[in-house]
Amino acid sequence: MRRPDQQTTTRPTTDPAPGTTPDAPPDGATGAGAPRLSGPAASRPTGSGPTGDLTTEAVLAPYLRGQAADFLRSLRLHHEHSAPADAGGHDAAAATRALRRAARRISGSLHTFRAALDPHWADQLRAELAWLSGILAREHAYANRLTRLVEALHQLSGPSLPAARGARAHGESAASDAQGRAALGVGAARAGALLERRLTLARTRSHSAALQALGSSRFHAVADAVALLASDVPLAPGTTGRTTEALLEPAERAEQRLLTAVAALPPEDSEPYNEAQDAAWHQARLLLRLHRYAHEVVLGAADPALAAPGHALDLHRDAVEAAGAAAAAARTPRIAPATAYALGVLHADQRHEVEAARAVFRESWPYATALTAP
């Protein structure tokens, strides 16, 4: 029986027969150099066989059909709430988020369990769903980025600089600090206006691109493919009954890739505000998402222990992109020095938020031994 409350590992357990002991993990599964799980998952046996109903027909196919049904339901709601009277409303935005959620889960499952499916079909549909999810995500991302940056500017240009963000070296004069606050106050309004113009324009273009995509023949082909998926899942020949190879092994490989990526993350005492390290954290976020989806497929629910680390990586991504937007705005030709100064302070503030998100991830990661690279 699948247990949704199990920890990171995606291999279900079976109760041993009376008078016997659980099988030990296979040789080399946690050998030298590999990240080791701590907590309940480390001591849970990976026995000789999973539950009898853990097959592609009984688990993967119903999961994909369910996500396809969610996709189609969200698409219908999006059409209903995208009329001119409701354009840009809350219901349309919620339908778009649900559409992206289903698209991500289908795409991630097609990636992880590709060997259990028709590979040509899986690769093609996964690429199209990734295109659709990316198109739909941009408008929401620009809107959130603008809100984040404007709020940060408001906080930074207040009566006093927050200590965590604008603390100055001991011994600097109060007059110098007051001058810094005054310069930031002068430039903050102009910086906010510049960011609003740039990001609002980008959001408008993204909205137009999303509407164009949703009316394109390419999107209709994707919707037709998902509609077929809701009734028929193309499984690879010979996967019937091959539970371990078809489901458990791909899920465990996804888990191992996540643990390896987390173990390879830069240590806490590494060079601060190093933007070259962002890519490794983005990769860990992607692998964590793929592992969560594999966990949902095999065990029926996401691992609750990874909710907080996943949220921290989302905040990390948002802060990185906001810092990039501030830096890009600062490169605008012929802007006033006060505006450039405010954008520079804003960039530093968002890089501080990047470091804070990394610290939260390290604190909330449930398997601390995996944070040390071998």
Side-chain angles (χ1 to χ4, degrees):
M1 181 176 180
R2 297 195 301 275
R3 292 169 46 199
D5 61 338
Q6 288 175 314
Q7 294 292 327
T8 303
T9 184
T10 49
R11 181 179 290 273
T13 62
T14 53
D15 295 331
T20 63
T21 57
D23 295 336
D27 293 339
T30 56
R36 294 176 180 271
L37 294 175
S38 62
S43 59
R44 183 165 54 256
T46 55
S48 58
T51 54
D53 64 344
L54 190 61
T55 63
T56 53
E57 296 88 347
V59 176
L60 180 59
Y63 179 85
L64 289 174
R65 286 196 295 266
Q67 294 302 325
D70 289 344
F71 180 96
L72 297 174
R73 188 179 306 111
S74 302
L75 180 59
R76 185 181 68 251
L77 291 175
H78 184 274
H79 288 327
E80 292 176 355
H81 296 294
S82 295
D86 295 334
H90 174 75
D91 292 336
T96 301
R97 288 194 297 270
L99 190 65
R100 290 173 46 218
R101 178 184 182 276
R104 289 196 307 265
R105 278 163 171 75
I106 296 172
S107 179
S109 300
L110 295 181
H111 173 80
T112 300
F113 302 104
R114 179 179 182 273
L117 302 162
D118 181 326
H120 176 72
W121 167 84
D123 292 343
Q124 187 176 32
L125 181 56
R126 180 166 62 90
E128 293 302 287
L129 288 172
W131 161 77
L132 176 63
S133 182
I135 287 288
L136 296 178
R138 288 172 192 164
E139 179 185 359
H140 177 72
Y142 283 125
N144 283 353
R145 200 169 305 158
L146 177 59
T147 300
R148 180 187 187 94
L149 289 171
V150 169
E151 289 179 351
L153 272 175
H154 178 72
Q155 294 178 6
L156 290 168
S157 60
S160 61
L161 296 178
R165 295 173 175 174
R168 297 183 179 272
H170 179 70
E172 286 195 38
S173 66
S176 176
D177 184 70
Q179 290 176 355
R181 288 198 304 270
L184 181 59
V186 170
R190 295 178 181 176
L194 176 60
L195 288 169
E196 186 168 0
R197 287 196 303 270
R198 292 172 61 92
L199 293 176
T200 300
L201 177 61
R203 179 186 180 185
T204 301
R205 290 174 174 172
S206 298
H207 180 72
S208 299
L211 292 179
Q212 184 177 4
L214 290 174
S216 67
S217 58
R218 183 178 182 180
F219 171 74
H220 288 298
V222 175
D224 290 343
V226 175
L228 291 175
L229 176 62
S231 59
D232 179 40
V233 178
L235 300 176
T239 57
T240 303
R242 295 169 57 191
T243 306
T244 301
E245 295 180 10
L247 291 181
L248 297 181
E249 290 183 2
E252 289 174 347
R253 283 195 297 270
E255 177 186 43
Q256 188 60 35
R257 286 194 296 268
L258 168 63
L259 295 175
T260 302
V262 171
L265 289 174
E268 187 173 4
D269 57 353
S270 61
E271 180 184 356
Y273 312 119
N274 187 346
E275 297 183 14
Q277 299 175 355
D278 293 345
W281 289 87
H282 293 330
Q283 179 69 5
R285 176 179 174 272
L286 173 62
L287 294 175
L288 176 57
R289 173 175 287 179
L290 290 175
H291 168 65
R292 286 176 51 218
Y293 299 160
H295 201 283
E296 289 181 3
V297 171
V298 176
L299 296 178
D303 185 354
L306 296 180
H311 181 63
L313 291 180
D314 288 341
L315 292 178
H316 177 274
R317 184 270 317 273
D318 293 344
V320 167
E321 294 180 346
R331 292 191 291 268
T332 302
R334 299 183 299 276
I335 60 174
T339 306
Y341 172 73
L343 291 170
V345 173
L346 181 60
H347 174 268
D349 171 76
Q350 291 304 301
R351 291 307 304 181
H352 173 86
E353 293 297 325
V354 169
E355 295 298 317
R358 293 177 182 179
V360 171
F361 174 83
R362 293 187 180 99
E363 293 171 0
S364 60
W365 181 250
Y367 308 106
T369 53
L371 283 172
T372 304

